Every structure is written in C-alpha cells, then in structure tokens.
Amino acid sequence: MATLGLLPTNGLGGLSVIVHDRLYIGGELVAPAGTGTIDVINPFTEQVAGRVPEATNADVDLAVAAARSAFDTTDWPTRPIEERIEILSRASALISSRMDELTGLITTEMGSPSGWGIFGQVLSATMILDAYTGLAGSYALEETRAGMFGPVVVRKEPLGVVAAVIPWNVPLFEAVMKVAPAVIAGCTVVLKPAPETPLDAYVFGEIMAEAGLPKGVLSILPAGREVGEYLVTHPQVDKVTFTGSTAAGMKIGAACGALLRPVTLELGGKSAAIILDDADVATVVPQLLDAGLMNNGQACVAQTRILASRARYDEVLDAVTEAVAAQVVGDPSDPTTQIGPLVAERQRERVLGLIAKGRDEGARITTGGGRPASQGTGWFVEPTVFGDVDNKMTIAQEEIFGPVLSVIPFQDEADAIAIANDSPYGLSGSVWSADGTHAAEVARKIRTGTINVNHFAMAFGAPFGGYKNSGLGRELGPEGVDAFMEKKSISLDPGTA
C-alpha cells in the first residue's frame, strides 16, 4: 500500500530506514499538503528508524471531507451490521498473518519487548476484533418498549465522523480499540497516531483496506499535538475518542464541552494490587510483575501500587524486590528481554526525576533506581522497587509510566480498601487471596472501572474505562459500540400493533 524504501547511510550509521512519502486519506495514498516529516527514533539504538509525512491542518480538512462524504452520501452507515462485522473478521485474520512484522515495527518504534509485544501489542488487537465479531446476531439496533400511548421504538444510529487520537504505548491495540466499534456502528474515522509510533499505522490501514473497508471510511494522519487539536475541534467532526494523558484529556474534554461534542476519554491510572494475608506470595508475585512492568511499565492499567499488610510486608517487599532485580534488561528485539528502553529520552528523564522525588520524600529503593550500566545506548531505566512508601507520596499518587513499583503497607482490610481508593485515578486494580469469593467482595469496594481477582487480564467483551481522572465513557464490549451511537425514540401511532 505504501511507498517503502531503504535510505542510504546519510549519517544514520548505515541503518535501514523505513520511509513513507504519502498519507493514507480516505482509503488512498495521497501526497501530503505540507513538506514536514516526522522522524521515528528507535529508543534502543537512538537512531532514526523511520520517516513519515507530518500531516497538516489542510490534510485534516481533506480527511474529514472524505469521512463526511462517505458517511453522508454512501450506504456505509446503513449497511447490515453483519456485513461490517465481516470486515473486522477478515482484518483479524490479516493481522494474525502479519504478526511478526507488526511486532517488530512496534518494538522498533517504542521499545516494547518483542516477547511481550507479540501478545500485548498484536495478538491482543486480534482478540478485540474477535470479541466484536462475536457481537454478530446479539447487538440490536432497535428495540420496542411500551409507551404511554403506544409502542416506542428505541433506535441506535451512528454518530457520524469520528476523530480518534491514540497514544504511543500500544498503538495497534488502541487503533483497533477505536476503529473496530466505530466500524460496527457505521461511523467513519480519522485516526491520528502519535508521532512516536506512526509506522504500524500504515500497515493497519493496508490491512483494513484489504479486509474490505470502503474508501472514505478510514484516514490515518500522523501528526503532533497542534494538528490533533485542530482535528478534535473540526466543525465537521461529530464524535471524539481519545486515549492519553489526563492533562491532555482534560483539555480535549473542555474543547468538546464547549462544542457540545460527544467525547470518550481513556486517561491515566495508578492502580493498586491488594495482597490479602491468605494469598500465596510465591504465586502472586510473578503475576504482579507482568501486571506492573508490562511494556516497560508504560501501560495505563499497570498495577504499580502493591499493597501488603504490615504482618507480611517484609515478606512481600523482599519477594517483589528479588523478582524485579532478576528482570532481564536489554535489546527489546531479543525475545528473552523483559525490560526494554522507554519510548523517548524525555520519558526516561521524567521517570528518573520521579524516582529521585520518591527518594527525597523518604521512600527506600530496594533495587534499581538509575540507568543500567549494562546498556551503552538506549533510553533505559532500571526496573525499580520502592519500599516504605506512604500513599501520600508523589510516587504513589502520580502515574510514572516506567518500570517502577511501590510497595505500600496497610493495617487491615478496611485500610487496604481506603488506600486503594485514595487516588485521583480509578482505571484498574486487582485483589489477591486464597478465597476468591471474599476477594471479589473486596473488589466491589474499589472505585475503579476494571478490577481483577487472582489474575490480571483485560476482558475484551466487557466495558473498559475509568472513574475519576481516569476518564469518561467506556470502550470494548457492546458498550464500546454504544459510544458511537445516537439513541432515538420513535413513538408510534397508538393503533400500531
């Protein structure tokens, strides 16, 4: 689909560079309106790995016009839902057939360890598609209710043109999370990937076209924040969906509020994992490492606050410290690597700054805390554990987005629940116990959008989203499709059967 090439050395250390010279707008590759480009930097080598055009406001106008035309003048919004679901089914198979390619691209773009990425970055995207494919036959566009004077038809209709803005940490996963339910609803989408991770988006566009998505339904515009702001406030956009930082989400929410524009916001998290006293620490800790350090700690749902009772605090802290210290740090393309580099130098410096603040506020580093001496290049931070953490400390309240865990003591179960809820966020969490029924009772008391009992995984057929500063609205499941629908009530003639 795209123009790919390998640049000559050009001062890039002899490394091959993936180059795209056009933008994917309305299902076609077109020349960009501007001359700006985005360099994609490999966070392990710190070298340019790719280059794509930087979309401008004029490109946004063209993409929105294509989306508007496809929605307003074609049969796309009224096609049978089964037909739209079939497109997603084909897309899932196509992603699976290119799994290694996509995993490698994302590893190159943002440093995700390939051993984790093949599941967390790519296979998980197919699981979202498969979950939505499973809606066939069960997602009703109309239902009839009893009204005061006669039957009332409650109808769902597609909202229209969607602006979808996604982050760099799980780019394919997020693209699918937003595009798939919009497709089922019958909307059209202008997708803006983050400037750090545009390469996999080109493959995604190619896959969706091959799967049978009609022209005009999807455009993909790599760009920075300013163009993103132009997109989400564009007068021809009907709905905005955004995943990213809470600060950016608040600005987008305010802009959409001023326009009375529907918006879904999936924002930050500072999730707590509560280890009850009857839990088997040896079984729990390996799972907590996966839940807390996945994707180099760059995950909104990461379980970064580990809560342990004072009676077992030292045992838990020692076990977590030993396990984190044993993590393999290195080249993210090596399948044995568990911790790769952070996405950018600015992210590394931010994480190191928060580690320093944790130390200054009185927390104790039990392992890590700096840059790994074993890595000569790359934006690495050692996997780090803090002990003696008070929940009021900065490291327990702010989302760090790096490989940093805080182990926090609690007095009793009520105190654990209070600590878990003492956060500006409410996105995820977990409870660990030998008694799953009791753990579920504790989970019900945590003010968070999703929570797991004795495991950590996302349920792709259930709603996902957060309380408080973790966002507005829900994605995934039938609720994820509802977010792209308007609801209409048609009160029928009282004599209608």
Side-chain angles (χ1 to χ4, degrees):
M1 181 197 80
T3 301
L4 299 177
L6 300 180
L7 288 181
T9 303
N10 287 343
L12 301 180
L15 299 175
S16 297
V17 177
I18 300 171
V19 177
H20 296 267
D21 62 3
R22 290 176 287 172
L23 294 170
Y24 185 71
I25 296 179
E28 297 180 342
L29 286 164
V30 302
T35 59
T37 58
I38 297 172
D39 281 348
V40 180
I41 310 299
N42 183 322
F44 176 62
T45 65
E46 302 181 34
Q47 300 294 317
V48 175
R51 185 169 294 134
V52 303
E54 183 174 21
T56 65
N57 291 355
D59 296 310
V60 171
D61 289 339
L62 184 62
V64 171
R68 188 82 266 162
S69 177
F71 186 81
D72 293 339
T73 68
T74 76
D75 67 346
W76 172 248
T78 58
R79 288 191 187 186
I81 193 169
E82 292 79 10
E83 188 176 321
R84 297 199 289 264
I85 284 176
E86 182 57 32
I87 293 172
L88 300 184
S89 178
R90 290 193 292 267
S92 176
L94 289 166
I95 289 174
S96 294
S97 72
R98 302 177 70 170
M99 192 166 294
D100 290 340
E101 175 192 359
L102 283 160
T103 301
L105 276 176
I106 296 170
T107 294
T108 297
E109 292 173 310
M110 55 78 56
S112 181
S114 61
W116 179 85
I118 199 163
F119 175 81
Q121 297 282 8
V122 184
L123 181 60
S124 60
T126 69
M127 294 169 73
I128 293 175
L129 291 166
D130 294 345
Y132 277 123
T133 300
L135 285 177
S138 65
Y139 188 82
L141 296 177
E142 289 189 0
E143 64 171 292
T144 302
R145 303 178 187 176
M148 183 174 293
F149 299 107
V152 177
V153 173
V154 179
R155 178 174 170 77
K156 297 176 182 179
E157 298 179 348
L159 268 162
V161 176
V162 175
V165 181
I166 60 174
W168 45 259
N169 61 324
V170 280
L172 179 66
F173 180 89
E174 286 289 348
V176 168
M177 187 182 282
K178 297 187 183 308
V179 172
V183 164
I184 290 179
C187 292
T188 56
V189 183
V190 179
L191 176 71
K192 192 200 83 64
E196 293 85 358
T197 52
L199 300 179
D200 67 283
Y202 277 86
V203 177
F204 177 61
E206 183 176 353
I207 284 172
M208 293 306 294
E210 188 176 347
L213 197 68
K215 290 186 182 299
V217 175
L218 177 64
S219 296
I220 300 173
L221 301 178
R225 183 170 299 173
E226 294 78 11
V227 172
E229 290 175 359
Y230 183 76
L231 171 62
V232 301
T233 58
H234 196 284
Q236 295 298 310
V237 164
D238 300 302
K239 157 82 180 185
V240 173
T241 176
F242 169 81
T243 298
S245 72
T246 296
M250 287 178 173
K251 292 180 179 178
I252 289 172
C256 290
L259 296 167
L260 293 180
R261 179 166 296 168
V263 61
T264 299
L265 303 171
E266 195 274 285
L267 308 177
K270 192 68 182 178
S271 302
I274 300 174
I275 304 177
L276 298 178
D277 277 346
D278 62 352
D280 179 12
V281 172
T283 300
V284 169
V285 167
Q287 297 182 76
L288 281 182
L289 257 63
D290 291 337
L293 299 179
M294 64 177 128
N295 207 25
N296 309 327
Q298 298 168 131
C300 57
V301 295
Q303 314 286 286
T304 56
R305 291 186 297 153
I306 299 174
L307 278 53
S309 75
R310 292 196 179 276
R312 301 191 70 184
Y313 183 78
D314 289 342
E315 176 191 0
V316 171
L317 178 59
D318 289 347
V320 171
T321 299
E322 181 180 356
V324 171
Q327 292 285 287
V328 177
V329 178
D331 182 350
S333 66
D334 184 334
T336 65
T337 293
Q338 295 168 297
I339 302 292
L342 300 184
V343 70
E345 185 175 16
R346 70 174 190 282
Q347 184 68 11
R348 179 183 65 187
E349 295 311 308
R350 179 181 181 276
V351 172
L352 289 174
L354 285 167
I355 289 173
K357 193 155 192 174
R359 186 189 296 113
D360 293 344
E361 291 182 358
R364 173 169 57 95
I365 294 175
T366 60
T367 188
R371 296 169 58 177
S374 61
Q375 305 302 316
T377 61
W379 296 311
F380 287 91
V381 171
E382 290 177 310
T384 300
V385 176
F386 276 102
D388 304 333
V389 178
D390 185 285
N391 198 57
K392 301 297 184 184
M393 292 178 178
T394 302
I395 56 171
Q397 290 291 310
E398 286 195 22
E399 185 176 40
I400 296 175
F401 232 58
V404 181
L405 304 178
S406 295
V407 185
I408 303 171
F410 63 81
Q411 296 289 351
D412 53 26
E413 190 174 286
D415 188 38
I417 293 167
I419 291 171
N421 287 333
D422 181 18
S423 171
Y425 299 105
L427 186 60
S428 182
S430 56
V431 183
W432 306 82
S433 169
D435 185 343
T437 301
H438 178 65
E441 293 173 359
V442 174
R444 288 183 173 89
K445 299 175 183 178
I446 309 303
R447 291 189 55 77
T448 187
T450 61
I451 191 161
N452 290 270
V453 174
N454 288 335
H455 74 290
F456 183 80
M458 287 184 68
F460 297 117
F464 173 75
Y467 290 20
K468 300 181 279 187
N469 285 1
S470 289
L472 298 172
R474 292 295 181 267
E475 299 181 288
L476 297 178
E479 293 83 0
V481 181
D482 287 345
F484 295 95
M485 293 288 199
E486 288 281 21
K487 313 302 186 298
K488 174 188 288 184
S489 297
I490 306 173
S491 293
L492 300 179
D493 183 323
T496 301

